[in-house]
Amino acid sequence: MENRMMQECKKGKVWLIGAGPGDAGLFTIKGKKVLDQAEVVVYDKLVGQGVLGMIPAQAKLIFVGKVSGHHPIPQHEINEILLREAQAGKRVVRLKGGDPFVFGRGGEELELLRQHQIPFEIVPGITSAVSVPAYNGIPVTHRDFVSSLHIITGHTKKKDEAEIDYEALVRLGGTFVFLMGITAMPKICRGLLKAGIEKDMPAAVLERGTSAHQRRVVSDVSHLAEDAEKAGIQTPAIIIVGKVCALEKDFHWAEDRPLGGFKIAVTRPKDRDSSLADKLSMLGAEIMLMPTIETKVIADNKPLEDAIHDIRRFDYLAFTSPVGVEGFFNKLREMKKDIRDLGSIKFAAIGSATREAIEKRGILVDLMPSVYSGKALGSLIAAESEEWGSKIGRKPEVLIPRAKIGTDDVIRPLEEASVKFTDIAVYDTFEASYGETDKAGAISKLIDFAEEDVDYVAFTSASTVRGFVTASGLSDFSSVKAVCIGKKTAEEAEKYGMQISTSKQATIDSMVECFLSLQP
């Protein structure tokens, strides 16, 4: 068994993974687990941006760009890419929109792998044939209306338009879902009518299903093509014909959510989770994660080590970010120390997120300002220090482990109050750097999203603004609608002429409230 596993590892392996219809929340748990281990990812145009954002940073990206009617990389070349990368001993993920076996040509991609005895696995995805109608309030089956579901392709390998036996379909009845059939819509409708389907049979075309900007045109078979043309429907879209289409009036829901219709780019540190993205997504927003900055803990940090060796001399330990908390406690653990070595030191946090990071370590925070800013934190410590100093008979001393590029806001009030402090850099912040094969470099070049696709950009620090400006490649930011977490962040966004909304408080929850007050 062990020899077989080593042989497979040496040869490489391919996973065909269905990425679903676009909404990252519909990506399967198994798909995510396999993707996390990928060394090479070969992906299509129709894979949602949210799923693309899950690709691990170390993975080599190969974009094969297949969309309906436009295949810049022929299928046989895609097959050869998969073979070549697997033969190089790589864990290869073939990431496809929808499900790889529902008109996804997954079977064709396996043939060459099978010929060369390359091991493979299939991870099914949620097909757009059922998920897109569901997001538009159309159940593809309903006992009061239909007893069957038929999924038909609008074109085949050899022809732009599929040869469909419309008479057989009409005799069967049920719900008809046509994938990749937008260009053939007039012919499809004529074929169904000629085969005897009722002229007023409900029909719909669903564009960009499961995304924030999904659209639908609900009509009947006789008028669907005309109505879709008037509405300017574009690909990707699917056609659905059947009595169930009439139910969308009662069952629509996606756009009714508090942030339904919003597409929001959430800037964040590279390789860090975003609680803001999670909260916005739960309210119905489509999220595009933008890793615009990266933080790196300063590894060889003698000043911090010296401070920890003499930690009992400090009376306050003040943190200005969760990253600072992580950097400090990682160093504490590295030095074989724990919270018992901290004695009676008091903990101060700039805001709720930093407080949560501290309390996860089993320590309750003593001080946190009502206004989440460096100046407010410094002023609060200065005020408390006077009272605390009278109790201990000396001036208290403060240790501030924070960013290398931290502002003077937090230390200025301490200087003015003559409070002794030690300011130590525990991490540094950089604009995220992307190579040609880096996931963010390939995916998150913003692709004109500020003007065409994304409704708002969320900024949680001034550094995320700067990172966004560098990564975007845009020359004019006047069309970017920015939602900023606080005054400093808003001031940075103002420098570039962005349209700015600022949360009332410098908290994630306050940012969410700000979004709820806006229009998509």
Side-chain angles (χ1 to χ4, degrees):
M1 176 67 74
E2 185 177 348
N3 289 338
R4 183 177 178 183
M5 290 177 65
M6 290 179 63
Q7 187 177 10
E8 279 198 359
C9 182
K10 184 177 180 181
K11 183 181 292 185
K13 185 172 180 178
V14 176
W15 285 262
L16 263 65
I17 301 181
D23 183 342
L26 299 182
F27 191 39
T28 66
I29 293 173
K30 183 171 183 179
K32 176 66 166 60
K33 287 182 177 179
V34 174
L35 186 61
D36 286 342
Q37 303 301 316
E39 294 176 299
V40 179
V41 178
V42 182
Y43 67 102
D44 282 345
K45 177 73 172 178
L46 293 181
V47 176
Q49 290 171 332
V51 176
L52 291 176
M54 299 177 188
I55 297 174
Q58 72 274 9
K60 173 184 177 181
L61 285 178
I62 302 177
F63 176 56
V64 293
K66 290 177 62 179
V67 293
S68 179
H70 182 57
H71 297 183
I73 300 180
Q75 183 63 54
H76 71 87
E77 289 188 19
I78 297 174
N79 302 346
E80 291 166 1
I81 289 170
L82 298 176
L83 175 63
R84 181 176 67 246
E85 295 294 337
Q87 287 179 328
K90 303 296 184 180
R91 293 189 298 272
V92 184
V93 163
R94 174 68 171 108
L95 198 58
K96 304 170 73 71
D99 178 89
F101 280 1
V102 180
F103 305 125
R105 303 180 78 166
E108 296 176 47
E109 296 180 356
L110 294 182
E111 291 171 358
L112 189 61
L113 300 177
R114 189 63 175 171
Q115 289 173 18
H116 290 80
Q117 298 182 331
I118 299 295
F120 59 82
E121 287 188 29
I122 313 301
V123 182
I126 297 178
T127 175
S128 61
V130 296
S131 56
V132 170
Y135 266 57
N136 283 272
I138 300 174
V140 291
T141 65
H142 191 293
R143 288 197 302 173
D144 294 338
F145 295 94
V146 295
S147 58
S148 62
L149 167 65
H150 311 279
I151 304 173
I152 309 106
T153 180
H155 69 260
T156 64
K157 181 177 180 180
K158 297 181 179 179
K159 296 183 179 181
D160 291 336
E161 294 182 6
E163 293 297 330
I164 301 170
D165 189 341
Y166 293 104
E167 291 185 0
L169 275 180
V170 172
R171 283 197 303 271
L172 285 169
T175 301
F176 309 142
V177 178
F178 296 88
L179 304 182
M180 301 173 289
I182 296 304
T183 57
M185 191 188 322
K187 183 177 179 180
I188 290 171
C189 292
R190 287 196 302 269
L192 291 171
L193 289 166
K194 187 176 179 180
I197 199 170
E198 295 96 321
K199 293 181 179 180
D200 60 351
M201 175 63 72
V205 58
L206 313 175
E207 178 188 271
R208 302 179 68 180
T210 79
S211 74
H213 301 148
Q214 70 174 25
R215 293 196 301 155
R216 62 179 171 272
V217 172
V218 181
S219 182
D220 56 48
V221 177
S222 300
H223 302 93
L224 182 64
E226 178 185 352
D227 292 344
E229 184 178 1
K230 288 179 181 178
I233 293 294
Q234 303 289 326
T235 57
I238 71 171
I239 301 165
I240 180 167
V241 178
K243 295 179 181 178
V244 291
C245 292
L247 295 173
E248 65 86 22
K249 293 179 181 178
D250 296 321
F251 292 170
H252 62 78
W253 61 275
E255 61 268 34
D256 302 331
R257 294 172 293 175
L259 294 180
F262 281 77
K263 184 170 183 179
I264 302 170
V266 177
T267 60
R268 64 185 177 100
K270 201 175 179 185
D271 298 326
R272 290 190 179 274
D273 294 332
S274 172
S275 61
L276 174 61
D278 292 340
K279 290 175 183 290
L280 297 176
S281 180
M282 288 299 293
L283 290 168
E286 179 185 357
I287 302 300
M288 180 180 179
L289 290 175
M290 294 297 307
T292 56
I293 61 171
E294 52 187 316
T295 57
K296 293 182 180 179
V297 172
I298 300 172
D300 187 12
N301 196 337
K302 191 174 186 304
L304 180 59
E305 292 172 1
D306 291 344
I308 291 175
H309 278 306
D310 196 20
I311 196 68
R312 294 294 181 96
R313 89 167 193 261
F314 295 102
D315 302 285
Y316 290 96
L317 188 52
F319 291 102
T320 59
S321 73
V323 185
V325 175
E326 181 181 350
F328 175 83
F329 280 96
N330 285 349
K331 178 60 72 173
L332 199 68
R333 184 170 58 250
E334 180 186 311
M335 296 172 64
K336 306 299 182 185
K337 295 178 180 292
D338 60 24
I339 59 175
R340 290 171 295 184
D341 293 282
L342 300 179
S344 59
I345 195 168
K346 291 179 177 289
F347 279 75
I350 195 171
S352 56
T354 305
R355 179 186 63 194
E356 289 173 11
I358 296 170
E359 293 183 347
K360 283 180 180 178
R361 309 280 176 169
I363 299 169
L364 295 179
V365 170
D366 300 284
L367 299 175
M368 187 178 76
S370 56
V371 176
Y372 303 152
S373 70
K375 181 180 179 181
L377 176 63
S379 298
L380 179 60
I381 295 174
E384 291 286 331
S385 293
E386 186 174 348
E387 181 180 349
W388 182 244
S390 63
K391 292 180 180 179
I392 62 177
R394 59 175 174 80
K395 289 213 170 192
E397 190 168 348
V398 184
L399 174 61
I400 311 172
R402 61 177 184 144
K404 185 176 181 180
I405 60 171
T407 68
D408 292 339
D409 289 357
V410 68
I411 63 175
R412 193 175 295 117
L414 300 177
E415 291 174 332
E416 292 172 354
S418 299
V419 175
K420 189 176 181 181
F421 65 89
T422 301
D423 185 15
I424 295 178
V426 296
Y427 68 95
D428 207 351
T429 302
F430 306 89
E431 294 172 0
S433 58
Y434 304 128
E436 290 183 2
T437 60
D438 187 287
K439 68 166 182 177
I443 298 161
S444 300
K445 283 299 184 182
L446 310 197
I447 40 184
D448 296 329
F449 81 98
E451 297 176 359
E452 299 179 6
D453 202 14
V454 170
D455 299 301
Y456 291 95
V457 185
F459 294 111
T460 54
S461 68
S463 57
T464 61
V465 176
R466 292 189 291 270
F468 172 88
V469 168
T470 300
S472 71
L474 298 174
S475 58
D476 181 5
F477 296 90
S478 60
S479 63
V480 176
K481 296 179 180 178
V483 175
C484 301
I485 197 168
K487 183 179 178 181
K488 288 288 185 183
T489 305
E491 288 175 354
E492 190 68 26
E494 283 175 357
K495 294 179 182 178
Y496 303 96
M498 298 181 190
Q499 303 173 42
I500 297 168
S501 300
T502 307
S503 58
K504 292 181 179 179
Q505 293 182 321
T507 68
I508 296 301
D509 287 339
S510 185
M511 284 192 78
V512 172
E513 290 296 326
C514 185
F515 275 109
L516 289 170
S517 69
L518 302 173
Q519 295 295 321

